Amino acid sequence: MDHSRRDFLKTAGCLTIGFSFTQLPFAGAALPLREFPLQELPGNLKEYSNIDAWLEVLANGSVRVFTGKLELGQGIRTAVAQVAAEELDLPMEKVTVALAETEVTPNENYTAGSTSIETSAMSVRYAAAAARERLLELAGAQLNLPPEQLRLDNGKASTKNGDRSATFAQILNGNKLSGEIKPTVKLKPKKDYTTSGTPVHRDDVPQIVKGAPVYVQDLHFPGMVHARIVRPPAYDAQLQQYNEQAVKAKVPGLLKVVANGSFLGVIATREYDTVQAQQLLSQHAEWSKGTPLAGSHNLAEHLASLPVRSQTVREKGQAINTPTLQARYFKPYIMHGATGPSCAVALYNEQQQLQVWTHSQGVYPLREALQQLLQLPAERIHVKGVPGSGCYGHNGADDVAAEAALLAMALPGRPIRLQWSRQDEHGWEPYGSAMLMDLAATLDDKGKITHWQYGLRSDTHGARPGGQAANLLPGRYITKPFKQEGGGYAGGAFRNSEPYYNIPNQHIIAHAFQGPLRTSSLRSLGAFANVFAIECFIDELAEKAQQDAFAFRLAHLDDERAIAVLQKLKTMLPPAPAASGTAVGIAFARYKNSGAYCAVAAQVHIKTDYSIQVQKMWAVVDAGEIINPDGVKNQTEGGMVQACSWTIREQVTFDEQHVTSRDWISYPILSFKQSPAVEVALIPHPDAEPLGAGEAVQGPSGAAIANAVYRASGKRIRHLPILPEKLKG
């Protein structure tokens, strides 16, 4: 690890050093959290079992932590800094966090699935505990005292009464702290925690609010030039010809037109010149027509007609015979809609090293895919993760990084900044898949669910690069294109497809189709649509059973923590709204049926013009041990607002040629004025394992809003989004 870092820094020179502002405290990954020794190390500690893979103790009394995860706005870097500060008895200001970077940080695959606390943060916790033990051993040898008579405090080891001490500089004596992280390492008792478990504000938020350089979009290097991509009119359209001279005549700042098969890009000295060149070259390029897209007029009907590959998710007890109720629900394609369009900087330098700065959620998998795309050995590719301006999931980050890399190879020696436009982002990112959900259930004479049948249809929710150049957008257009295989990560489609309720007979099947649009991972994957359908159907069954929505759910639960979040939510709600057209709906889920518990309520008002106002939303979350309560609340609040936008406004539109929702007018999202008030309560379990909470609120939020709309309007809308015209008539 040290050798690779040192060698790369020799070739990277001033560029890596000059990018200091991106070294914001980082994102983490975790293990089961215990004070007592484990039988084996969890998570990535099995592969990276040395202290110096996770942190560096510095002579000035501070610590630098390494994480393979990326800061996505979820505040993971703060939480990781907290666990390190806690185990090493350091103030937060003495802990910095280095984000995902090949050959510098551990390879922790992707920052995804709400697993960063469970894996990376817990890995750092064990590494910091091992570092504490090693520091005390070394200090004890210097002071001629047993380690158990010493303690760490603010960058030094001292005796319990403080009469003798040794600083980190004295303990290290010019050496680097290393040592194996063993399962027997003892964690700090939780009763002694002073930092972990307390609210800590993210220190990058003031920078973001002031518009300070924080994101990859803000990067600037000496000699940097700019680039744009000329897009085909359809997914599989092929470049026939283009007129470079027509562009050169009108854009004097044009440096190069890069054509590689149907991949077409422009590089210029100024960003304005690249935009001009992009527009002109688009006018002077001819493409084949491409295969028409199907399903634009009635997407739900089209998806139901597609051939599928089927997989049984659960088969328990008897099949359903005479259902009490059956219904079909639908979710359209939705997009990430990143606030800042995707961006990357790439440099192919004199040492034939390719350097890429990217907001990819997986720097190591991206490097593997670039290795295949560019036919370069991995040791000549260095990828540094930099926070991007808004995204949860696989948007255009990997694609723009690959495109920048191709352009850098075509113009060596100059840092090339490639910025996607809003039209690029909206029109070419991989979307969250459209889904169909068919449900049927039987109630007994006591109002209990005896039989449950669930069938879902979905495209893939997982086409991240994963070392495959075919999953990179430019990989499909270069002279020797990479063929994308259908399928991807099918498991994402049936995430949360199993109800968390006690139902003796269950039959759940997932049908995978290949739809018209490009899809991949979007926050919560299939859980948003699955929980939306299940929790709306549960409300419909409660009405059939003539039971209260809370009581019906509680009657089908025996998990005390699930019961607790619902009971807590009930206490937070105001009396039933008196205003006409106003009502409250609820929903519950446990993310992945193994992550955080979350119950949500939404108060909705239907205006006389049928427009929908979500006035307020409440959420109760049980995420086990909580490292940073402020961070969990922020995640939940943002998730509620985002899911609200998905539920009542968002849908990707397209025609036979390509996507038509290419701006914020054709793809409207919730505005600040339209956003609901939000309130979040946490149920901490400090002695339990931490549970992923970043995506727990999406599904329950959509269902709670839909249930509230039904109560307020009397109309059950099963097809998202819930638009005013669906309430008319």
Side-chain angles (χ1 to χ4, degrees):
M1 201 86 177
D2 299 336
H3 180 71
S4 299
R5 289 176 188 155
R6 182 172 61 252
D7 286 351
F8 186 79
L9 289 173
K10 286 179 182 177
T11 61
C14 65
L15 288 177
T16 298
I17 297 168
F19 189 52
S20 60
F21 70 78
T22 64
Q23 292 178 2
L24 306 170
F26 92 137
L31 343 161
L33 178 53
R34 301 175 177 91
E35 295 172 15
F36 301 103
L38 298 171
Q39 296 303 309
E40 60 178 26
L41 291 169
N44 288 99
L45 284 173
K46 297 173 185 177
E47 183 178 358
Y48 299 94
S49 59
N50 203 296
I51 294 170
D52 65 4
W54 298 95
L55 59 87
E56 184 179 11
V57 178
L58 304 175
N60 64 4
S62 64
V63 169
R64 186 183 183 213
V65 178
F66 304 106
T67 176
K69 303 294 184 178
L70 189 64
E71 177 60 63
L72 306 175
Q74 79 279 43
I76 187 62
R77 66 181 185 84
T78 304
V80 167
Q82 282 181 262
V83 299
E86 188 66 73
E87 291 294 336
L88 291 164
D89 288 295
L90 286 169
M92 282 285 289
E93 58 268 21
K94 286 196 173 184
V95 180
T96 59
V97 182
L99 298 171
E101 183 173 358
T102 57
E103 304 305 329
V104 174
T105 65
N107 179 359
E108 296 190 80
N109 204 22
Y110 286 105
T111 307
S114 298
T115 61
S116 292
I117 289 291
E118 298 175 31
T119 56
S120 190
M122 295 303 100
S123 295
V124 170
R125 173 173 274 171
Y126 277 85
R132 169 171 39 82
E133 288 186 354
R134 184 67 180 138
L135 285 166
L136 292 176
E137 287 173 6
L138 293 172
Q142 285 190 13
L143 299 174
N144 198 27
L145 290 170
E148 56 269 20
Q149 292 185 16
L150 301 174
R151 62 185 178 90
L152 291 185
D153 179 32
N154 198 13
K156 62 182 180 182
S158 60
T159 55
K160 302 293 176 67
N161 60 12
D163 62 340
R164 299 177 65 190
S165 65
T167 65
F168 280 0
Q170 292 168 331
I171 296 170
L172 295 171
N173 193 27
N175 297 312
K176 188 168 186 174
L177 187 74
S178 63
E180 186 180 357
I181 307 167
K182 298 179 180 179
T184 53
V185 63
K186 187 176 181 181
L187 300 177
K188 186 177 182 179
K190 293 180 183 178
K191 63 182 178 60
D192 296 335
Y193 281 1
T194 58
T195 302
S196 188
T198 62
V200 175
H201 295 308
R202 288 169 44 192
D203 60 8
D204 59 337
V205 171
Q207 302 285 96
I208 294 168
V209 171
K210 291 185 289 188
V214 170
Y215 299 123
V216 66
Q217 287 89 347
D218 301 317
L219 279 177
H220 182 82
F221 296 126
M224 188 172 75
V225 295
H226 300 268
R228 293 280 169 131
I229 304 299
V230 178
R231 304 286 173 194
Y235 277 134
D236 60 352
Q238 299 296 306
L239 182 63
Q240 305 293 307
Q241 62 180 14
Y242 64 95
N243 187 342
E244 183 175 342
Q245 295 305 316
V247 181
K248 285 183 175 179
K250 294 186 178 181
V251 185
L254 181 69
L255 295 174
K256 193 175 183 67
V257 172
V258 178
N260 183 344
S262 294
F263 173 76
L264 188 60
V266 293
I267 306 172
T269 53
R270 299 185 306 160
E271 187 171 15
Y272 177 70
D273 291 335
T274 65
V275 175
Q276 281 190 307
Q278 179 193 42
Q279 293 173 348
L280 283 167
L281 197 54
S282 295
Q283 296 166 14
H284 291 86
E286 294 182 13
W287 304 81
S288 64
K289 190 174 181 180
T291 307
L293 299 176
S296 60
H297 299 299
N298 190 331
L299 183 58
E301 186 176 294
H302 172 69
L303 299 184
S305 71
L306 291 175
V308 297
R309 300 184 318 278
S310 300
Q311 177 180 353
T312 298
V313 179
R314 188 170 197 190
E315 191 166 356
K316 172 188 173 185
Q318 299 175 342
I320 199 165
N321 187 9
T322 52
T324 304
L325 183 68
Q326 47 192 331
R328 166 171 284 184
Y329 297 84
F330 169 74
K331 175 207 144 221
Y333 291 102
I334 55 178
M335 64 175 64
H336 299 82
T339 307
S342 295
C343 180
V345 178
L347 169 68
Y348 189 61
N349 65 19
E350 293 79 3
Q351 291 79 27
Q352 296 185 320
Q353 293 276 343
L354 175 68
Q355 302 169 65
V356 180
W357 290 262
T358 172
H359 54 118
S360 168
Q361 292 179 297
V363 294
Y364 281 95
L366 173 59
R367 185 178 69 170
E368 292 174 18
L370 291 176
Q371 180 182 356
Q372 187 182 78
L373 177 74
L374 306 171
Q375 296 299 294
L376 277 179
E379 59 268 20
R380 288 173 55 193
I381 304 173
H382 187 81
V383 183
K384 180 176 177 60
V386 187
S389 180
C391 174
Y392 284 90
H394 176 204
N395 69 342
D398 295 291
D399 298 325
V400 73
E403 291 171 342
L406 281 166
L407 296 173
M409 297 284 288
L411 187 66
R414 302 289 294 271
I416 294 176
R417 178 182 182 271
L418 176 58
Q419 172 71 67
W420 276 16
S421 66
R422 174 56 54 199
Q423 290 70 34
D424 286 332
E425 189 75 34
H426 274 33
W428 291 90
E429 67 148 86
Y431 310 107
S433 178
M435 293 177 65
L436 279 174
M437 293 74 63
D438 290 302
L439 293 94
T442 302
L443 294 172
D444 64 15
D445 55 5
K446 296 180 180 178
K448 295 291 289 290
I449 306 171
T450 59
H451 295 75
W452 181 274
Q453 183 174 294
Y454 187 81
L456 68 99
R457 290 172 178 260
S458 176
D459 207 331
T460 181
H461 291 258
R464 296 181 185 273
Q468 300 299 313
N471 286 342
L472 296 169
L473 191 60
R476 308 178 189 186
Y477 296 103
I478 59 176
T479 302
K480 294 182 179 180
F482 292 86
K483 181 176 174 56
Q484 187 184 36
E485 302 296 332
Y489 175 52
F494 52 81
R495 182 175 291 180
N496 275 100
S497 61
E498 299 178 58
Y500 200 66
Y501 301 102
N502 295 325
I503 303 171
N505 303 287
Q506 298 183 36
H507 290 261
I508 301 165
I509 188 166
H511 306 285
F513 60 74
Q514 189 164 349
L517 302 186
R518 184 186 183 210
T519 63
S520 192
S521 307
L522 177 57
R523 193 177 191 181
S524 80
L525 281 66
F528 172 69
N530 288 324
V531 175
F532 160 73
I534 290 170
E535 284 297 295
C536 285
F537 197 61
I538 286 290
D539 243 42
E540 294 193 54
L541 288 169
E543 186 176 41
K544 279 281 185 184
Q546 298 182 332
Q547 293 184 29
D548 169 76
F550 276 105
F552 187 76
R553 286 171 171 82
L554 292 170
H556 289 85
L557 288 168
D558 59 11
D559 185 328
E560 292 183 1
R561 291 169 69 174
I563 292 168
V565 294
L566 278 164
Q567 290 177 332
K568 174 65 176 177
L569 180 68
K570 189 172 185 179
T571 67
M572 295 170 64
L573 300 183
S580 176
T582 303
V584 172
I586 68 165
F588 159 80
R590 185 180 184 190
Y591 185 52
K592 300 181 186 176
N593 284 5
S594 61
Y597 301 80
C598 184
V600 175
Q603 181 169 300
V604 167
H605 175 64
I606 310 298
K607 299 181 181 179
T608 55
D609 63 355
Y610 297 99
S611 61
I612 301 162
Q613 180 187 9
V614 182
Q615 297 174 325
K616 186 168 182 178
M617 298 181 71
W618 299 261
V620 180
V621 177
D622 172 358
E625 183 199 3
I626 297 173
I627 307 300
N628 186 0
D630 186 63
V632 175
K633 283 190 175 183
N634 290 343
Q635 282 286 279
T636 306
E637 291 166 352
M640 284 193 284
V641 174
Q642 184 182 43
C644 179
S645 186
W646 289 353
T647 305
I648 66 173
R649 292 186 74 82
E650 298 184 37
Q651 60 181 331
V652 175
T653 59
F654 59 98
D655 57 21
E656 288 190 353
Q657 188 174 52
H658 198 61
V659 172
T660 56
S661 46
R662 305 286 287 272
D663 52 37
W664 294 124
I665 296 174
S666 53
Y667 189 86
I669 63 173
L670 214 61
S671 68
F672 281 111
K673 289 180 67 175
Q674 295 165 331
S675 298
V678 291
E679 183 179 341
V680 178
L682 305 179
I683 300 179
H685 289 277
D687 293 324
E689 295 179 357
L691 302 173
E695 300 169 294
V697 77
Q698 305 299 113
S701 293
I705 292 168
N707 289 334
V709 167
Y710 170 71
R711 293 172 181 274
S713 68
K715 293 185 181 295
R716 172 62 68 178
I717 308 300
R718 300 188 181 99
H719 283 215
L720 295 178
I722 305 175
L723 301 174
E725 52 263 34
K726 295 180 180 179
L727 297 177
K728 297 177 182 178

